Amino acid sequence: MTTPEAYSHFRETLDYIRRYYKGEVEVGIVLGTGLGRLAEAIEKEHQLAYNFIPHFPISTVESHFGRLIFGRLGGKKVVAMQGRFHYYEGYNMYQITYPIRIMKLLGAHTLLLSNAAGALNLTYKLGDLMIITDHINLLPENPLRGVNLDQLGPRFPDMSAPYHPELIAKARAIAQRLGIPVREGVYVAVQGPNLETRAEYRFLRIIGGDVVGMSTVPECIIANHMGMRVFAMSIVTDIGDPDNLKPVSLEEIIHVANEAEPKLTQIFTHLVAEL
Ligand code: HPA
């Protein structure tokens, strides 16, 4: 939960980061499950392991790397999280979204998010890319719960366009130019860590979801609160077909994400260049 101590946490974190990286930051990027290699496209200037950064949580999942990368992508100054925090790992929402607040305080005006997700829309195929146009938040806690940090944003932030329409249009045009097919749809965020039952996949489809995953929405809410522009993409790593459901493993999810990752990297790189 957010408390008034947050401001002193931010100061300590920023003091530490600024000892190692004094450059500007324009864009924040969060690399999702199986998508950490997008970091290879960044001309790195500095890297900081999460476990040394004051008030940063420590990453627990092996498929995530756990470091903050400062450098250039598409000619812009970026900071990327290689490895994100999930609610199912036991972190609270304040911890999960803490790095996003730090990105904004470092100067980032735009946030790019990526994730692996299961398809609810049965026209989607394994490895498909989907631009997130909207979300449904079924996570059990809201990252803005607690005192409002008035210096960062309003108590009741608007959510009429949490994913920036201009960025969506730009990404759509870029994908078309590069010949990369992309879907556009609604992301449903659930707690996990178990995948869905057949009845749950059916339910999530009925309520309007195109894909389902365990991340992204908390970061999106916090970024919107602070007035950042948000763009997010999912990679379809499994198909939640209630009438033909096959068991999936984390290994398969990571494999499919890895395979599709170069396409996502291209779109992100061009999008950052055009910001
Ligand atoms: N459900 C929830 N989260 C996921 C899935 C899924 O099918 N695939 C990847 N993340």
Side-chain angles (χ1 to χ4, degrees):
M1 189 166 76
T2 308
T3 65
E5 283 78 62
Y7 291 117
S8 63
H9 297 168
F10 298 155
R11 211 167 306 118
E12 286 166 24
T13 304
L14 292 168
D15 283 351
Y16 176 85
I17 292 175
R18 284 308 190 195
R19 262 192 265 152
Y20 297 95
Y21 186 75
K22 296 187 172 53
E24 251 179 89
V25 174
E26 299 168 277
V27 181
I29 303 174
V30 178
L31 306 173
T33 302
L35 302 169
R37 283 182 313 163
L38 193 146
E40 288 165 16
I42 299 173
E43 287 167 55
K44 295 175 193 62
E45 288 169 15
H46 207 87
Q47 304 191 47
L48 296 173
Y50 295 157
N51 30 347
F52 295 114
I53 306 176
H55 304 294
F56 258 56
I58 291 163
S59 193
T60 66
V61 176
E62 275 176 44
S63 55
H64 293 75
F65 294 82
R67 61 190 168 195
L68 216 46
I69 298 168
F70 295 89
R72 278 182 179 272
L73 182 72
K76 298 284 190 326
K77 296 181 172 176
V78 304
V79 55
M81 284 182 77
Q82 199 176 28
R84 66 143 60 83
F85 304 102
H86 301 86
Y87 193 76
Y88 64 76
E89 293 174 271
Y91 303 114
N92 63 45
M93 287 293 176
Y94 177 70
Q95 295 175 301
I96 290 167
T97 56
Y98 190 81
I100 307 301
R101 284 174 157 154
I102 294 300
M103 286 174 166
K104 165 71 177 177
L105 295 170
L106 286 167
H109 51 69
T110 302
L111 180 67
L112 270 50
L113 301 164
S114 62
N115 62 58
L120 302 167
N121 183 328
L122 298 181
T123 67
Y124 289 11
K125 304 278 180 287
L126 279 187
D128 275 2
L129 262 51
M130 189 194 87
I131 296 173
I132 301 178
T133 55
D134 206 349
H135 70 229
I136 297 173
N137 186 11
L138 297 184
L139 286 162
E141 191 193 327
N142 191 292
L144 293 170
R145 187 169 115 86
V147 297
N148 183 54
L149 302 178
D150 294 329
Q151 293 176 36
L152 300 188
R155 172 74 289 188
F156 302 105
D158 179 65
M159 280 285 147
S160 58
Y163 303 91
H164 204 272
E166 252 176 60
L167 300 185
I168 291 172
K170 266 199 177 112
R172 186 189 296 134
I174 288 165
Q176 207 159 26
R177 214 167 62 220
L178 296 173
I180 301 172
V182 287
R183 314 278 193 166
E184 295 185 29
V186 174
Y187 178 94
V188 186
V190 296
Q191 177 173 185
N194 59 281
L195 299 180
E196 285 62 41
T197 64
R198 289 177 298 138
E200 285 165 345
Y201 279 123
R202 198 173 285 121
F203 164 75
L204 296 171
R205 180 60 188 153
I206 289 169
I207 65 168
D210 291 296
V211 298
V212 55
M214 306 171 193
S215 67
T216 301
V217 167
E219 294 107 315
C220 173
I221 291 173
I222 284 296
N224 271 274
H225 176 250
M226 296 182 296
M228 296 172 88
R229 302 192 303 172
V230 177
F231 175 78
M233 277 192 106
S234 294
I235 289 182
V236 173
T237 54
D238 53 282
I239 307 293
D241 180 353
D243 299 315
N244 186 27
L245 194 59
K246 305 194 176 60
V248 278
S249 64
L250 178 67
E251 288 69 34
E252 290 172 86
I253 287 174
I254 291 173
H255 176 73
V256 177
N258 280 338
E259 292 279 298
E261 199 248 280
K263 293 187 285 181
L264 183 112
T265 300
Q266 277 195 63
I267 294 175
F268 270 32
T269 306
H270 281 79
L271 183 61
V272 169
E274 290 183 25
L275 286 174

